[in-house]
Amino acid sequence: MKPARTELLVPDEAGLARAAAILRAGGLVAFPTETVYGLGADARDGRAVAAIFEAKGRPRFNPLIVHVPDIAAAREIAVMGDLAEAVAARFWPGPLTLVLPIRPGAGVSELVTAGLESVAIRVPAHPVARALLNTFGGPLAAPSANPSGRVSPTSAAHVLSGLDGRIDAVLDAGPCEVGVESTILSLTGDASVLLREGGVPAEALAAALGAMPVRPDPVNDLRPDSPGQLASHYAPRGTLRLNAARPEPGEVFLGFGPGGGDLTLSEAGDLTEAAARLFGCLHHLDEIGAERIAVAPIPSDGLGAAINDRLRRAAAPRD
């Protein structure tokens, strides 16, 4: 049953208590992380998790990320070997999701894992996310708080533009700092596998792992083995043309670096600023009704790899 309205909550003691009460009752609450806003439900409650898929229009074969407050809570859900412990100690809390073998008896709904024997898990760094997790007292399944396949939200206004009236509440803590989703690293086999570029650059992971993680073969839309693997995703309503030196007639130009454009990710050519602005710019292009969008080239080093990953998926053919 859909809520009569979506509550907008202030992330103070009363707002956090209200959000936790909604979650305990099987409701849906969008909350900020350092990457994007997530749509949270009790990861142990199958009906609540099913409501995430319904609200987003998300395919049920697509796994979800479980958010927990600390490494100790992660150990209760996932089997963490020595390498996972070392990586977690280096990057948690932060914008890194680890795909690990699920612990027998973890108590997480099978809808969260899509029936796989692994679980995607993260300890977010955002103080409001951590406060909510501690107030709620359990793991939260939380994909991005937007209709499936659309642009991810980096503000409460973005959440409401897509999900108002379809979820119970939003904790509004202003814009997200990182602006692209977490990096996803699988440690389920003999090799570390980079499943999604994100807020932790691959170069930083390589320094911690002692080698660059393996990149998998092209994604399989029919049966992804972790969140964030669908080929067409993060899409605005208009079509995108990437690596454009200049716009063609009728195109809106999304620039990067000196010279700008109709809209710019970073006039200074700063990848951190560009990552933080990416989804906000795509939302703005929707708001102005841009039907054809040309995007300037983005360097592929550091956070540029995550930005280009999102842009390629946004530009991918759609059903």
Side-chain angles (χ1 to χ4, degrees):
M1 182 176 179
K2 294 181 180 179
R5 64 186 180 90
T6 296
E7 296 181 47
L8 190 63
L9 302 175
V10 176
D12 56 12
E13 185 175 352
L16 289 165
R18 173 61 181 154
I22 291 170
L23 291 165
R24 292 188 193 106
L28 303 181
V29 176
F31 63 94
T33 75
E34 67 275 22
T35 56
V36 299
Y37 274 70
L39 180 56
D42 187 341
R44 303 159 299 189
D45 183 341
R47 293 187 66 173
V49 174
I52 290 179
F53 290 92
E54 181 180 2
K56 284 176 60 70
R58 181 183 176 101
R60 293 199 181 192
F61 57 73
N62 197 2
L64 304 177
I65 295 174
V66 177
H67 293 66
V68 293
D70 50 42
I71 295 178
R75 293 188 191 111
E76 295 177 2
I77 295 171
V79 177
M80 297 185 62
D82 292 343
L83 185 57
E85 290 279 356
V87 172
R90 170 67 179 82
F91 294 107
W92 280 353
L96 176 67
T97 295
L98 294 179
V99 177
L100 301 167
I102 191 165
R103 185 173 293 283
V108 172
S109 166
E110 286 193 0
L111 283 175
V112 172
T113 62
L116 300 172
E117 295 182 357
S118 59
V119 62
I121 196 160
R122 173 161 104 89
V123 178
H126 197 291
V128 172
R130 295 174 64 77
L132 177 62
L133 285 162
N134 283 309
T135 303
F136 172 63
L140 291 178
S144 56
N146 58 290
S148 186
R150 307 301 298 179
V151 181
S152 297
T154 54
S155 71
H158 293 163
V159 176
L160 291 173
S161 72
L163 297 177
D164 193 13
R166 299 168 67 179
I167 64 176
D168 295 283
V170 182
L171 272 169
D172 184 0
C176 300
E177 180 180 356
V178 177
V180 292
E181 292 89 348
S182 61
T183 301
I184 300 181
L185 180 71
S186 174
L187 297 176
T188 57
D190 294 333
S192 56
V193 180
L194 183 62
L195 296 176
R196 181 176 73 183
E197 304 274 3
V200 175
E203 296 87 343
L205 287 175
L209 294 166
M212 187 65 76
V214 174
R215 285 177 168 83
D217 293 333
V219 296
N220 177 10
D221 272 7
L222 297 178
R223 183 70 176 181
D225 54 9
S226 90
Q229 294 291 286
L230 296 182
S232 178
H233 204 18
Y234 317 111
R237 293 182 177 86
T239 59
L240 273 69
R241 182 170 65 89
L242 306 183
N243 298 311
R246 61 185 62 84
E248 296 176 350
E251 289 183 329
V252 177
F253 190 46
L254 180 58
F256 176 81
D262 300 294
L263 191 64
T264 184
L265 292 169
S266 173
E267 190 172 354
D270 183 280
L271 289 171
T272 300
E273 180 185 18
R277 284 179 49 79
L278 174 62
F279 290 139
C281 286
L282 294 181
H283 276 285
H284 182 69
L285 289 164
D286 273 352
E287 291 166 4
I288 65 174
E291 296 181 358
R292 297 171 56 217
I293 304 157
V295 184
I298 311 294
S300 60
D301 56 303
L303 282 174
I307 296 169
N308 281 307
D309 171 80
R310 302 310 188 272
L311 287 170
R312 283 191 296 271
R313 295 173 195 249
R318 307 167 200 173
D319 295 333

